[in-house]
Amino acid sequence: MPVEWQKSSFSGIDAENCLELAHHKGRILLRESDTPDMVVTAAPARLHTLLLAIKTGQKPTRTP
């Protein structure tokens, strides 16, 4: 089954450099549209922890 990528709403309609996300086999996939062959994968809980730490300006803690 092919991966279905979704463009970030923050990228705008005509933006060429977009962050794209996908959910595949229990993992979150991230890539930039201008380098689609380079994909970062993360477990949803760990990505959530990282994003929360970035938003609050705190150091991320490890999740099990």
Side-chain angles (χ1 to χ4, degrees), residues 1 9-10 12-14 16 27 30 34-35 37-39 42 45 51-52 57 60 62 64:
M1 182 161 100
S9 61
F10 289 101
I13 295 171
D14 296 323
E16 291 182 17
R27 307 285 290 175
L30 301 140
D34 60 343
T35 53
D37 293 334
M38 187 180 304
V39 177
L51 294 176
L52 186 60
R62 287 197 74 132

Side-chain angles (χ1 to χ4, degrees), residues 9-41:
S9 61
F10 289 101
S11 297
I13 295 171
D14 296 323
E16 291 182 17
N17 296 330
C18 304
L19 176 65
E20 298 175 325
L21 296 105
H23 186 263
H24 185 67
K25 296 183 180 181
R27 307 285 290 175
I28 302 297
L29 310 178
L30 301 140
R31 71 180 185 183
E32 289 190 46
S33 60
D34 60 343
T35 53
D37 293 334
M38 187 180 304
V39 177
V40 175
T41 66

